[in-house]
Amino acid sequence: MVGIATLIATVIGIPLGVFLATSKRGELLAMPITSRIVGAIVNALRAIPFIILAVYIFPITRWVVGSAIGTAAAIVPLTIAAIPFIARLVETHIREVDQGLVEAARAFGANPFQIIWKVLLPESLPGIVLVLTLAIISLIGFSAMVGAIGGGGLGDVALRWGYAQNKIDVMNVIVVLLIVVNQLVQMFGEYISRRINKRVIIRNTPKPDSLS
C-alpha cells in the first residue's frame, strides 16, 4: 500500500509542487489564476483529516478499484492524502533555491523549463528526498489507520487480532514494528539526502583557478 501510494503521489506531487513554486505572478511559469485554483484545491485536501477523507471518497475508491475496502482500495485515499503533502513541501524547498542561480541561468539564455530542470530541481533535490522520506513515514501511519475501515495491513492486524481479542502482546509487536520501520526509513532518507547534498556543494564550489 505504502509503496504504490508513494510512487503515484511522487509522480504527481513533485510536478505539482514545481508548478506551485513557479506559477505565481512574475514567476517562471506565470499563471496566477490557475495557481490560485490549484493552491486552493491542495489546501482543501490537506485540511481534511485522513480518516474522514478515506471515508468521504468511498465512491471514488469504489469507481477506481471496484471496492471501497481492502488493500487495493486503501491505496486510493493514501495517494490522495500524500499528493498535496508532497506538493506543498516540494514547493517550499524549490522556493528556497538561491534566486541568483535562476538569474544567472536566465542571463545565459535558459528558458523556464531548462531553469526548472537544470537549476531548481537539482538544487532542491536533497530537500525533496527528505520530503519523500516524511511522506513515506506519514503514509505508514495512515496505512495503519485504514485498518479501521477494512484497509488491511498492520492496522487491520492490530485491531482484529490485538484490540478485538484483547491481546496486548500483538499490539506491542505492531507498535514495535511501526517504530522500527519508521526509524529505518528516516535513517535511509537522511543518508541519501546527505550524499546528494555533498554532491551539490562540490558541484557549486568554485575551482581555485577560477578565482584568480
Side-chain angles (χ1 to χ4, degrees):
M1 289 188 293
V2 172
I4 296 175
T6 301
L7 178 61
I8 299 173
T10 299
V11 171
I12 299 174
I14 291 180
L16 184 58
V18 172
F19 175 79
L20 291 172
T22 59
S23 58
K24 291 184 178 179
R25 191 178 303 277
E27 295 181 332
L28 290 173
L29 305 175
M31 302 179 188
I33 296 177
T34 304
S35 180
R36 290 195 194 97
I37 295 173
V38 173
I41 295 172
V42 168
N43 291 339
L45 290 174
R46 292 184 65 197
I48 304 174
F50 174 74
I51 194 68
I52 296 176
L53 174 68
V55 175
Y56 183 73
I57 64 170
F58 267 172
I60 297 175
T61 303
R62 191 176 291 108
W63 176 75
V64 173
V65 299
S67 174
I69 60 174
T71 302
I75 293 173
V76 177
L78 288 174
T79 302
I80 292 176
I83 288 172
F85 178 83
I86 292 174
R88 280 302 186 191
L89 290 179
V90 168
E91 176 191 5
T92 299
H93 283 285
I94 288 179
R95 289 191 181 280
E96 290 176 350
V97 173
D98 185 359
Q99 289 302 304
L101 296 174
V102 176
E103 295 303 323
R106 277 177 168 168
F108 279 103
N111 61 47
F113 291 100
Q114 288 174 326
I115 294 174
I116 291 171
W117 187 251
K118 298 290 186 179
V119 178
L120 295 180
L121 285 175
E123 292 296 323
S124 59
L125 190 56
I128 291 176
V129 170
L130 292 179
V131 167
L132 297 181
T133 301
L134 290 174
I136 293 172
I137 291 173
S138 297
L139 286 178
I140 291 172
F142 289 161
S143 69
M145 292 171 62
V146 294
I149 54 174
L154 288 176
D156 182 61
V157 174
L159 290 173
R160 185 179 301 179
W161 300 103
Y163 176 77
Q165 299 186 27
N166 197 29
K167 293 184 178 180
I168 303 301
D169 55 339
V170 174
M171 299 290 289
N172 290 337
V173 170
I174 297 299
V175 170
V176 170
L177 281 174
L178 289 172
I179 292 173
V180 170
V181 171
N182 283 340
Q183 288 292 333
L184 290 175
V185 170
Q186 184 69 43
M187 291 169 59
F188 181 73
E190 290 178 351
Y191 170 76
I192 297 297
S193 179
R194 285 196 301 269
R195 290 292 299 271
I196 295 174
N197 195 39
K198 287 180 181 178
R199 293 179 183 178
V200 171
I201 292 173
I202 292 173
R203 186 182 70 240
N204 291 337
T205 301
K207 298 179 180 179
D209 55 357
S210 67
L211 298 177
S212 58

